Amino acid sequence: MAHFLNFINGKWVDSPQSIEVEDPATQIIIGTVACAKEAEVNQAVMAARACVDRGDLSKPRPAQRVSWLLRIADEILKLKAQGAPLLVAENGKTLSDAFAEFENAARYFQYYAGMADKIEGRSIPLGEDFIDFTIYEPLGVSAQIVPWNFPVDIAARSLAPALAAGNAVVIKSPELTPLAITLLAKACENAQLPVGAVNMICGYGHEAGTALVGHGEIDQIVFTGSVPTGQSILRAAADRALPCVMELGGKSAAVVFPDADLDVFIDSVDWGIFFNGGQVCSAMSRVLVHQDIHAQVVSQVTALAKQQVVGHGSESSTTLTPVSSLMQRNKVIELCAASVQQGAHIVTGGRAVDRLGYFVEPTIIDGVSPENDLFREEVFGPVLAITTFSTEEEAWQLANATDFGLVNGIFTNDLNIALRGAKALKCGQVFVNEWYAGGVETPFGGVKMSGYGREKGQEALYSYVQTKNVAIKLI
Ligand code: NAD
């Protein structure tokens, strides 16, 4: 059984204790990882600090960072055959999704390589006697905390723009899925980045995570994960007024109008709620359907749920993979049961699958009122909640009636409805006629309790710099 290490100051470093990693589909321990504590966190942060202080990333011409980022992308693609099976084993996802995750991770580095030499300030006219301009400077040491659902993708999403802007990074990998992500550090090592530019520590949130966010030498926190953890990190960040990027949860709705192309919609449901076992922060966890097509939509999504093939991610027939842990499975099942007590009814699913592993039946729950916990709380499982509306105004109001605001989707052939919805929906991204539309190029992030700051796209780069203004009086 393989044992995985921390990557600190250019070296692979063990910790006195280790964490066992379980395959959620078989409940078999598949590997162990170093369990970093305060001492290793301190070494990693100080290595990043030294790299920043030496100016290893910020002093060379930007073309050097372009070259490093492109090399990292190439190295990730070389390592994907080794990494994808690891990701399947620790996370449960399908092999094709695991390959796609590595490919997308490489794509972040290609995309931000294209920006690394175009971080240009502005010249601001102040009249005859002045020259004024702005400079974008790196923040310094970026502390990045990653969740378990897309560990490689999400780590790359923050690491690539942070490096492009000239920051050094300390990544805290997720304790449930810490294996495949180490190949991202390996790719940086193979790409011969300066020592200390990228450090990765493996450990528990309450130990390594708290030590990292409370460390006096970090200059930024980038967090992707749950709302309660995000709030506790923000409290730690407040002590030093640290800038943060917060990518928290979601309770996203697809709003389906009577004129929608239902084949297109059903394809999106397949992707929107069953992909990755429904464990996606921007999953389509609610469907708001017009009353005229309610019966038809319920029948079609139920048929889709019944077609799902539950299985191990390494089996090519599998379409629905397990949730990440026993705790997560119990939470999903409890939410389904509570929704029934609160007046909804389960059309199909709602139980654990009777087999080894943390599988949840593909679940459709109808009649979910806005008062129901299932309407408002994130599930992180293959559970679709259906609510009916009768007017367009009511649809937007229902979509906005949660504390979250990550994404929402609109299914219609009426451009006016789509554009009115795009304006009315309170969220960071609106999909029209395709769930998970967009990509590495499109800014992503939330409003309300879904967090703030943007990842992806050109916007994200500016999460990793600070603006300095230089105002010169000509004398
Ligand atoms: P989590 O908040 O429990 O853990 C996320 C990460 O934070 C892990 O690496 C964990 O070790 C670390 N952590 C935990 N406590 C910490 C602390 N006190 N200080 C510092 N670090 C700490 O979340 P999770 O269960 O791993 O992930 C699921 C949640 O993440 C869901 O709510 C989901 O919506 C959200 N999520 C959001 C996005 C997004 O981009 N918006 C993406 C994926 C997941």
Side-chain angles (χ1 to χ4, degrees):
M1 198 165 51
H3 179 64
F4 293 71
L5 305 177
N6 305 296
F7 185 65
I8 301 174
N9 207 24
K11 294 194 174 61
W12 294 94
V13 177
D14 208 352
S15 298
Q17 288 171 17
S18 56
I19 300 174
E20 290 186 333
V21 181
E22 186 186 24
D23 179 339
T26 62
Q27 298 174 231
I28 291 170
I29 303 300
I30 49 157
T32 56
V33 68
C35 179
K37 307 253 169 112
E38 202 174 343
E40 297 91 314
V41 171
N42 185 46
Q43 287 167 23
V45 174
M46 295 318 290
R49 167 56 57 204
C51 177
V52 168
D53 290 348
R54 289 190 303 267
D56 288 351
L57 290 162
S58 58
K59 282 186 183 166
R61 290 183 73 113
Q64 175 63 63
R65 294 202 298 276
V66 173
S67 151
W68 277 322
L69 265 74
L70 289 174
R71 267 194 258 160
I72 297 172
D74 289 346
E75 293 297 330
I76 291 172
L77 293 174
K78 281 188 215 160
L79 290 167
K80 74 176 175 178
Q82 186 185 339
L86 275 178
L87 195 48
V88 172
E90 64 184 337
N91 174 284
K93 64 182 67 200
T94 67
L95 189 60
S96 60
D97 289 344
F99 272 112
E101 184 161 338
F102 271 88
E103 283 154 17
N104 208 47
R107 174 80 189 112
Y108 283 113
F109 288 91
Q110 292 163 350
Y111 180 82
Y112 289 105
M115 287 190 75
D117 57 353
K118 300 174 192 69
I119 308 174
E120 297 166 354
R122 287 190 300 146
S123 167
I124 300 171
L126 282 183
E128 184 63 20
D129 295 339
F130 287 90
I131 291 181
D132 187 288
F133 58 91
T134 58
I135 308 171
Y136 288 119
E137 296 178 337
L139 297 170
V141 177
S142 175
Q144 308 189 342
I145 297 179
V146 177
W148 43 261
N149 55 347
F150 295 95
V152 179
D153 183 291
I154 289 175
R157 185 177 81 182
S158 308
L159 177 60
L163 292 175
N167 300 279
V169 179
V170 179
I171 297 170
K172 208 292 281 169
S173 63
E175 55 269 47
L176 279 178
T177 59
L179 307 186
I181 191 176
T182 57
L183 293 178
L184 209 52
K186 182 80 191 146
C188 295
E189 182 186 29
N190 292 354
Q192 296 179 324
L193 246 68
V195 162
V198 175
N199 307 273
M200 186 177 289
I201 46 174
C202 319
Y204 290 112
H206 67 277
E207 294 176 340
T210 49
L212 179 59
V213 299
H215 199 290
E217 292 292 337
I218 62 166
D219 299 300
Q220 176 197 36
I221 301 172
V222 181
F223 173 72
T224 304
S226 63
V227 172
T229 307
Q231 288 168 324
S232 85
I233 289 174
L234 282 172
R235 283 183 206 108
D239 285 345
R240 293 185 50 236
L242 287 179
C244 295
V245 176
M246 287 279 138
E247 296 281 11
L248 308 177
K251 191 70 206 182
S252 306
V255 185
V256 195
F257 288 90
D259 70 334
D261 180 328
L262 287 189
D263 290 339
V264 164
F265 169 65
I266 294 298
D267 278 352
S268 273
V269 177
D270 201 6
W271 189 226
I273 194 63
F274 298 127
F275 165 58
N276 213 44
Q279 302 167 110
V280 188
C281 48
S282 48
M284 183 201 287
S285 58
R286 292 184 295 153
V287 164
L288 308 176
V289 59
H290 191 275
Q291 60 189 14
D292 291 354
I293 53 166
H294 168 258
Q296 190 183 351
V297 162
V298 171
S299 149
Q300 285 190 241
V301 295
T302 304
L304 179 73
K306 289 183 173 166
Q307 280 164 23
Q308 299 302 315
V309 180
V310 169
H312 195 281
S314 60
E315 291 158 11
S316 60
S317 57
T318 297
T319 62
L320 188 67
T321 49
V323 296
S324 61
S325 64
L326 178 62
M327 202 177 77
Q328 187 66 20
R329 188 184 70 185
N330 291 345
K331 185 189 147 202
V332 175
I333 303 297
E334 278 162 25
L335 256 168
C336 293
S339 79
V340 173
Q341 281 168 2
Q342 294 166 17
H345 80 274
I346 295 178
V347 186
T348 187
R351 293 169 305 184
V353 178
D354 186 17
R355 61 172 280 171
L356 203 61
Y358 308 126
F359 292 91
V360 175
E361 292 177 341
T363 301
I364 308 293
I365 304 188
D366 194 15
V368 179
S369 72
E371 294 73 38
N372 200 304
D373 288 349
L374 191 63
F375 188 91
R376 289 174 281 106
E377 278 185 34
E378 189 168 44
V379 180
F380 245 52
V383 178
L384 188 67
I386 301 182
T387 307
T388 310
F389 68 86
S390 53
T391 66
E392 184 188 321
E393 197 182 12
E394 186 191 6
W396 310 140
Q397 186 266 325
L398 284 168
N400 289 335
T402 78
D403 289 337
F404 292 109
L406 193 54
V407 308
N408 284 297
I410 306 167
F411 290 81
T412 179
N413 275 317
D414 185 329
L415 189 59
N416 282 303
I417 292 180
L419 292 178
R420 279 198 296 269
K423 284 184 151 189
L425 292 169
K426 293 182 176 34
C427 55
Q429 191 171 25
V430 176
F431 303 139
V432 178
N433 289 335
E434 185 178 77
W435 204 261
Y436 301 134
V440 166
E441 306 82 356
T442 49
F444 175 76
V447 301
K448 302 196 283 182
M449 296 293 268
S450 291
Y452 58 84
R454 289 294 174 266
E455 296 283 13
K456 309 210 270 190
Q458 294 188 28
E459 267 85 349
L461 192 84
Y462 298 95
S463 300
Y464 297 93
V465 291
Q466 56 206 350
T467 308
K468 181 179 278 174
N469 181 262
V470 181
I472 304 165
K473 171 87 191 286
L474 303 177
I475 52 174

